[in-house]
Amino acid sequence: MNSEWVRIVLADEAELPGFCRVIWQKHVAEMSDLSQEERVTVWQILHKVELVIREVMQPEKINLAALGNMVPHLHWHVVPRYQADIYYPGSPWSAPQRASDANHLYQLKQRIPQLKERLETLLAS
């Protein structure tokens, strides 16, 4: 899913359905490489992506992270979190805290087509 400003990728994270990466289209490494207009734009987009994920996936919390140590290209991880996810309350990159809950994951995965549709609509507007 692409726009002039960003590309949104649904991450293939089996234990975290709805995990999205919002990737800045221009190749820059840091937020400070963006103009003021670009910084405002990206925060508006991230805000809208978060709202869509909250509406569709109904998480208990959203984790928003801007990493990129291995790939120095500006991007954000927008991760819906649930007390039932295997990493909770740790980060999505921490060691699992519990066994996977197949029923919980099944219910979340049923929402992914709606999430894709809503994100595509967001980028088109």
Side-chain angles (χ1 to χ4, degrees):
M1 294 173 271
N2 294 307
S3 79
E4 171 188 359
W5 300 99
V6 299
R7 179 167 45 111
I8 299 176
V9 176
L10 277 170
D12 187 19
E13 298 288 341
E15 294 293 334
L16 297 166
F19 182 143
C20 293
R21 287 187 187 88
V22 177
I23 304 164
W24 191 247
Q25 290 284 30
K26 287 201 273 183
H27 185 70
V28 297
E30 308 298 344
M31 282 285 289
S32 56
D33 294 329
L34 302 178
S35 70
Q36 181 175 352
E37 176 191 8
E38 290 169 328
R39 286 191 307 272
V40 168
T41 299
V42 77
W43 283 117
Q44 290 172 337
I45 293 168
L46 286 167
H47 177 222
K48 291 175 184 177
V49 169
E50 180 179 308
L51 287 174
V52 167
I53 291 173
R54 288 182 69 192
E55 275 183 40
V56 175
M57 301 304 292
Q58 301 176 359
E60 287 139 35
K61 180 73 176 99
I62 294 280
N63 288 175
L64 181 62
L67 304 171
N69 297 327
M70 299 298 290
V71 180
H73 186 104
L74 194 56
H75 67 283
W76 296 264
H77 303 265
V78 187
V79 188
R81 300 300 307 278
Y82 307 87
Q83 289 182 2
D85 82 49
I86 66 172
Y87 307 107
Y88 193 88
S91 81
W93 301 279
S94 62
Q97 303 294 308
R98 66 194 48 77
S100 184
D101 182 336
N103 185 48
H104 176 72
L105 290 172
Y106 175 80
Q107 291 175 21
L108 294 176
K109 288 177 183 175
Q110 298 307 301
R111 300 175 190 164
I112 297 300
Q114 182 185 6
L115 179 62
K116 284 182 183 178
E117 181 181 317
R118 293 285 306 280
L119 291 171
E120 287 171 357
T121 300
L122 169 81
L123 287 180
S125 62

